[in-house]
Amino acid sequence: MAIWLAATRLCARSTPKKPAGLGRHILPRCYSTRPHETINVQGASFVRDSKTNVPASIISKLPQRLYMKPEHPLGILRTLIEGHFPNFTTANSLSPIVSVFKNFDELGFPHDHPGRNITDSYYINSTTMLRTHTSAHEIEVFRQGADKWLLTADVYRRDEIDASHYPVFHQVEGARTFDVSEDMDALAEENARLAEKLASANIIIEDDTQVTPQNPYQNVHDPAHAALVTENLKSSLNSLILSIFGARANATKEEPLRVRWIEAYFPFTSPSYEVEVFFQGKWLEILGCGVVKQATLDQSGIENRIGWAFGLGLERIAMVLFSIPDIRLFWSEDPRFLEQFTPGKITAFRSYSRFPPCYKDVSFWTSDQVKFHENDLCDVVRDTAGDLVEDVKLIDEFVNPKTQRKSLCYRINYRSMDRCAQQRPSSYPYRGPPEPDLLLYSYRSLSNEEVNEIQSRVVAKLVEKFAIEPR
Ligand code: FA5
Ligand code: MG
């Protein structure tokens, strides 16, 4: 299931002001109370409106393009994947600023899909957003005519804060299409070859998936063709996983690499699947995929073709392959991180410092007037403290039975990854224009006073934006 489909923390937002003529408080969120101002994103100016919710800390990530750095773990992994699919056209420079239409509507996302919620996605305004997945470019790339392609890019989602979640991550999208009247015999032969190779490899593929009315072949497809394409999708991805994980996973005869296929749902594929890999004692979801909805190919002007597509997360795989314990490290500019990696090689990361954590709790009454969502707190925290925060957890929640007021207590865990006795480089960590909050960074060890100061800024912003009442 797409990650957004599992989202449960959905709620509407409101600002402190009541709209004229409406008897309820539902108004867009607080970031957006200045409708006539503009927001500048990568040199372009956009009119803010009620949906604008991209903070400066996120905008500062757009130019970084970590996946294009040959010596960066994300760049190394992208190159490895592109090497596995040598005949695929690559697209690596597509702008993360896309229309809402392209990210959602064009791919058949229903209007009430949770991913569209402003608590889950970053909107520049009502019509323009930061892409939440690389699938946003599927139709555009299919239209360019390549029948096999890979596309790597940064994607943006509002999310919680912990060691495996970051509001910016990277995906590789891949797709392949076939001419229904010409390619099917060759496809059957290719499938047989791939199956033979996988059968002799040290890999266990657990696949109990069925084609069912809930996850069907599409009516417009000849079931025999859809079966061939599905088989090709599965073999192609199993082969990719074997080549990425096979050596690193130290698969032995006794403990071969294990891959598990699960039925899934995406609005733009059918049948759809997710794939998990068993690594260091846990199942790790690494990708979503499926047979592309024919409507998507029709809109791309390739009506006579049938095809598959997948989207995989680079960070999840890179954390495993390079033994990187915290997703924030991918954004580190500390030479002690960057100098550990060599283009083309997978090497295990050696931890260079582990500063002690320092946690601060914030307890408050939420406002009746302004809706509060945990992702709001996470954005405020990231905007104020940047990557100094390791995680944010709700540790207490209750409703006063007399007043019905709700109290929440969050624990914000501050821990620097990179600090050492050095001056702050002028570019660290924010490359855009100076922003007072982000200047709180330094390369020194993180002191209690400094954390107190950051924490009081976080609380002040929560009061300002969400009318909370500290307890
Ligand atoms: C998608 O994003 C679909 N666009 C994938 C797809 C493409 C399906 C083409 C069908 C055809 P999902 O939300 O599950 O699906 O994300 C895909 C992968 O991105 C996940 O398997 C995971 O590896 C990675 N991913 C998702 N959310 C996060 C996150 N918060 N942090 C790190 N990686 C993530
Ligand atoms: Mg998923």
Side-chain angles (χ1 to χ4, degrees):
M1 195 160 64
I3 235 164
W4 311 306
L5 293 179
T8 49
R9 294 165 289 119
L10 303 173
C11 69
R13 252 0 118 69
S14 57
T15 66
K17 288 184 198 153
K18 257 188 174 186
L22 282 182
R24 54 202 179 110
H25 302 306
I26 300 174
L27 242 194
R29 53 180 309 173
C30 307
Y31 283 118
S32 50
T33 50
R34 295 162 296 173
H36 300 302
E37 288 182 16
T38 54
I39 177 169
N40 195 286
V41 189
Q42 287 210 295
S45 182
F46 298 86
V47 175
R48 285 175 181 272
D49 66 19
S50 61
K51 276 198 135 181
T52 307
N53 69 351
V54 195
S57 55
I58 293 295
I59 294 175
S60 73
K61 301 291 191 218
L62 268 67
Q64 296 215 16
R65 291 164 50 85
L66 298 178
Y67 61 97
M68 292 310 286
K69 298 185 174 162
E71 67 294 342
H72 191 281
L74 299 177
I76 297 170
L77 182 53
R78 174 188 58 80
T79 311
L80 198 71
I81 294 167
E82 289 178 354
H84 181 81
F85 291 112
N87 304 319
F88 282 51
T89 304
T90 54
N92 293 326
S93 302
L94 292 161
S95 168
I97 304 169
V98 298
S99 66
V100 175
F101 179 79
K102 209 164 148 167
N103 197 78
F104 291 128
D105 303 75
E106 199 175 40
L107 292 167
F109 280 72
H111 284 288
D112 59 354
H113 192 282
R116 292 180 184 260
N117 207 301
I118 51 173
T119 54
D120 287 47
S121 298
Y122 287 110
Y123 285 88
I124 294 174
N125 59 32
S126 313
T127 52
T128 311
M129 65 188 299
L130 299 182
R131 69 184 152 223
T132 61
H133 57 166
T134 41
S135 304
H137 300 285
E138 271 196 10
I139 292 183
E140 160 186 8
V141 180
F142 279 132
R143 265 193 202 128
Q144 287 165 8
D147 59 357
K148 302 169 175 176
W149 54 261
L150 295 173
L151 181 175
T152 308
D154 38 336
V155 301
Y156 298 77
R157 293 184 195 177
R158 296 188 73 199
D159 222 327
E160 64 218 72
I161 297 183
D162 68 25
S164 62
H165 287 86
Y166 203 81
V168 190
F169 60 97
H170 297 82
Q171 289 186 332
V172 177
E173 189 96 357
R176 183 171 173 194
T177 64
F178 308 87
D179 187 310
V180 183
S181 50
E182 290 179 2
D183 295 341
M184 292 298 124
D185 292 343
L187 183 57
E189 280 168 29
E190 184 187 319
N191 285 348
R193 273 200 308 277
L194 283 171
E196 199 180 329
K197 261 197 187 162
L198 285 165
S200 61
N202 200 15
I203 180 171
I204 294 183
I205 300 160
E206 300 176 19
D207 183 357
D208 304 329
T209 59
Q210 310 272 336
V211 175
T212 60
Q214 287 71 44
N215 196 27
Y217 291 142
Q218 297 163 47
N219 286 336
V220 286
H221 290 154
D222 177 333
H225 294 165
L228 283 173
V229 171
T230 305
E231 192 186 339
N232 189 257
L233 165 70
K234 290 183 171 181
S235 309
S236 302
L237 290 176
N238 286 329
S239 306
L240 170 70
I241 292 164
L242 183 65
S243 75
I244 295 178
F245 284 93
R248 177 66 184 83
N250 288 335
T252 58
K253 270 270 169 303
E254 297 73 41
E255 265 189 89
L257 178 64
R258 285 170 69 196
V259 176
R260 180 161 85 174
W261 284 75
I262 292 169
E263 284 159 39
Y265 170 79
F266 298 100
F268 43 95
T269 50
S270 189
S272 305
Y273 306 96
E274 283 187 337
V275 178
E276 298 181 341
V277 170
F278 196 73
F279 201 84
Q280 292 170 346
K282 276 196 274 189
W283 286 105
L284 174 79
E285 184 207 310
I286 56 164
L287 63 86
C289 64
V291 176
V292 181
K293 285 253 176 97
Q294 201 56 36
T296 306
L297 299 183
D298 293 351
Q299 279 183 76
S300 312
I302 45 174
E303 298 82 354
N304 59 331
R305 301 186 75 83
I306 178 171
W308 52 249
F310 69 85
L312 64 79
L314 281 183
E315 276 82 351
R316 296 257 172 98
I317 299 176
M319 285 176 84
V320 165
L321 289 183
F322 296 87
S323 307
I324 293 173
D326 190 315
I327 199 163
R328 292 177 297 165
L329 279 162
F330 291 110
W331 298 90
S332 172
E333 294 194 347
D334 191 319
R336 290 172 302 172
F337 176 77
L338 293 173
E339 285 174 4
Q340 290 197 23
F341 304 104
T342 314
K345 278 203 180 146
I346 295 192
T347 43
F349 169 68
R350 277 168 285 106
S351 206
Y352 47 82
S353 73
R354 194 88 173 133
F355 287 93
C358 168
Y359 68 78
K360 301 281 165 192
D361 293 346
V362 50
S363 299
F364 54 88
W365 297 108
T366 57
S367 159
D368 295 339
Q369 312 289 313
V370 187
K371 285 262 170 58
F372 171 83
H373 186 287
E374 189 172 299
N375 286 351
D376 294 324
L377 171 69
C378 291
D379 269 352
V380 166
V381 168
R382 291 206 194 267
D383 233 21
T384 313
D387 287 353
L388 293 180
V389 173
E390 187 168 271
D391 56 44
V392 175
K393 284 195 193 100
L394 179 66
I395 55 169
D396 190 37
E397 177 176 13
F398 73 91
V399 176
N400 182 317
K402 281 195 191 138
T403 61
Q404 293 303 307
R405 291 189 79 190
K406 187 173 183 184
S407 165
L408 297 172
C409 180
Y410 283 94
R411 177 157 295 172
I412 303 177
N413 193 14
Y414 295 86
R415 190 208 299 255
S416 170
M417 296 172 303
D418 292 337
R419 297 252 176 144
C420 63
Q422 272 183 19
Q423 283 285 303
R424 175 175 60 85
S426 57
S427 64
Y428 183 83
Y430 177 58
R431 292 168 182 280
E435 196 186 295
D437 287 340
L438 289 170
L439 293 179
L440 279 170
Y441 276 92
S442 80
Y443 253 17
R444 288 170 294 104
S445 166
L446 191 58
S447 71
N448 194 43
E449 294 74 53
E450 202 175 347
V451 172
N452 280 339
E453 194 196 345
I454 301 170
Q455 178 78 359
S456 57
R457 282 167 181 259
V458 168
V459 175
K461 277 195 186 170
L462 290 174
V463 171
E464 181 197 325
K465 295 191 167 188
F466 301 101
I468 60 133
E469 194 184 310
R471 301 183 56 215

